[in-house]
Amino acid sequence: MTPNRGHLTLLAVCTAVLVCIALHFGRVILAPVAFGIFVVAVAWPVQATLQKRLPRLLALLITVVAVAVVLTGLGTMIGWGFGRAARWLIADTARFQAMYQQATVWLEGHGFAVTGVFSDMLSPSWMVGAIQTVASRLQSVASFSVVALVFLILGLLEVEDTGRKLVAIGAERLVRAGAATAAKLQTYMLVRTVMSVITGALVSGFAVAIGLPLYAEWGVVAFALNYIPFIGPFVATLAPTLFALAHFQSWETMLAVFASLNLIQFVVGSYLEPRVAGSRLSLSPFVVLLAVFLWSFLWGIAGAFMGVPIVIAILTVCEQYPRSRWVATLLAGEAPEETAAAETAAETAAKKTPS
């Protein structure tokens, strides 16, 4: 008996839910593995170039050290920026307390009862606790990176052997999909890095222009957090906005700072980045947002960072197979180059075929 379409849809939904549950509970192992594979894809050109001039193990050592330096530097920059901001916040707790009391009086005078969770969120102690929570999460990311480094070493050692094994069993298309995915991820990280530098420079310059304290720290935080779509820029915008409120003691200035920082993030992320990346990395904004929040729920901070690369990898593999190519076409911001070429070839062949 052939199952109807409703049964197949229900089976697909149940399978997707079970896969998400497995990914969530297996995050301790699966997240470092995925991150290690991602870093292997990005770092492989360095390893391959060094192997042509140096012994394999020495090339591997140089590549791993370079990756470790980059990851450690990025984590140190975030910790330094937020650490300095936390010390500044603690030193000015009295000012925040006074502003909190003024806001409470104003809200209660206009009929709003500032109690419960809302009251806690406005209090300085809540903000200090939030920053401490962020710091502890960053420490867990550091330990996560150490575990991922082990998978990175093993992955770099087995890239060529795995490729030969796949060719031997007739999976050449999967090898091509892996190479295309690696190329796209390398382009993604290059574009993301350039855009992060621009974002950090603009945020720091804006802070200098308006006289906001810790301008260097805000620029560093904006640079580092820009690697996490949506969530990172939001945090990098919200933190200096709160500090602007405490420093200038003006709601109007705070709103102007918030609007200006969001304008910087919008221009860089929504205007410059798509034009630099081109249609090769084009993704639907809805898909990007869904990927960031879904993988954040499954794997935390690592998932927020890995969400978009995972989607890029999935869509690139789908492009290589005719039966799944529609998925890449549907979820991409623009029609992928490979899909567009295939469709053009099909149309040309159809026109040449006699009726």
Side-chain angles (χ1 to χ4, degrees):
M1 177 175 162
T2 303
N4 57 36
R5 187 178 297 272
H7 291 164
L8 292 176
T9 302
L10 180 60
L11 178 61
V13 171
C14 293
T15 302
V17 172
L18 291 176
V19 169
C20 288
I21 293 174
L23 288 171
H24 177 69
F25 285 100
R27 62 188 180 277
V28 176
I29 298 298
L30 297 178
V33 170
F35 185 77
I37 294 174
F38 167 75
V39 178
V40 167
V42 175
W44 175 247
V46 177
Q47 170 77 7
T49 302
L50 291 175
Q51 284 185 176
K52 297 177 181 178
R53 299 173 175 82
L54 300 172
R56 184 182 182 186
L57 292 180
L58 180 58
L60 174 65
L61 177 62
I62 295 174
T63 303
V64 171
V65 170
V67 170
V69 169
V70 171
L71 293 177
T72 303
L74 192 62
T76 302
M77 291 169 63
I78 298 176
W80 174 76
F82 274 108
R84 294 265 298 175
R87 288 193 293 271
W88 190 93
L89 174 61
I90 293 172
D92 280 9
T93 302
R95 181 183 299 180
F96 273 99
Q97 185 67 41
M99 296 185 64
Y100 164 68
Q101 292 175 352
Q102 292 175 2
T104 300
V105 172
W106 186 88
L107 289 172
E108 291 180 349
H110 288 76
F112 296 96
V114 185
T115 57
V117 177
F118 186 60
S119 175
D120 293 337
M121 292 182 64
L122 287 177
S123 66
S125 60
W126 179 89
M127 290 185 287
V128 174
I131 293 178
Q132 291 174 344
T133 301
V134 171
S136 64
R137 293 290 180 87
L138 293 175
Q139 291 177 355
S140 66
V141 170
S143 61
F144 168 93
S145 301
V146 173
V147 177
L149 202 60
V150 176
F151 292 104
L152 168 64
I153 295 173
L154 298 176
L156 288 174
L157 286 173
E158 298 184 10
V159 167
E160 295 176 325
D161 293 338
T162 302
R164 286 192 291 267
K165 292 176 182 178
L166 290 174
V167 172
I169 64 176
E172 293 88 352
R173 184 171 291 179
L174 187 59
V175 174
R176 290 197 300 269
T181 299
K184 287 188 177 183
L185 293 180
Q186 292 156 16
T187 302
Y188 170 79
M189 286 304 297
L190 177 61
V191 172
R192 205 72 185 171
T193 299
V194 173
M195 294 301 106
S196 295
V197 171
I198 294 175
T199 300
L202 290 176
V203 169
S204 183
F206 172 75
V208 171
I210 65 172
L212 186 66
L214 308 177
Y215 59 88
E217 288 80 350
W218 299 132
V220 168
V221 168
F223 161 78
L225 293 183
N226 196 61
Y227 284 98
I228 304 176
F230 292 106
I231 298 177
F234 174 75
V235 175
T237 298
L238 183 61
T241 299
L242 295 176
F243 277 81
L245 175 61
H247 179 71
F248 297 109
Q249 299 187 19
S250 169
W251 293 96
E252 293 80 5
T253 303
M254 182 203 72
L255 293 176
V257 170
F258 182 75
S260 300
L261 292 177
N262 275 279
L263 178 62
I264 292 174
Q265 297 286 358
F266 175 80
V267 171
V268 176
S270 301
Y271 181 79
L272 291 180
E273 186 170 340
R275 281 156 180 77
V276 174
S279 60
R280 181 177 176 81
L281 297 179
S282 178
L283 294 173
S284 167
F286 173 80
V287 173
V288 174
L289 184 63
L290 177 62
V292 171
F293 283 101
L294 174 62
W295 288 98
S296 298
F297 170 75
L298 295 176
W299 290 351
I301 296 178
F305 171 76
M306 289 293 299
V308 175
I310 289 174
V311 171
I312 291 175
I314 293 173
L315 296 187
T316 304
V317 173
C318 289
E319 290 173 4
Q320 301 297 320
Y321 298 90
R323 290 186 177 181
S324 60
R325 194 168 290 153
W326 65 272
V327 177
T329 303
L330 180 64
L331 300 183
E334 300 177 14
E337 296 175 2
E338 294 85 350
T339 304
E343 291 175 351
T344 302
E347 291 176 359
T348 303
K351 290 179 180 179
K352 291 182 179 180
T353 302
S355 57

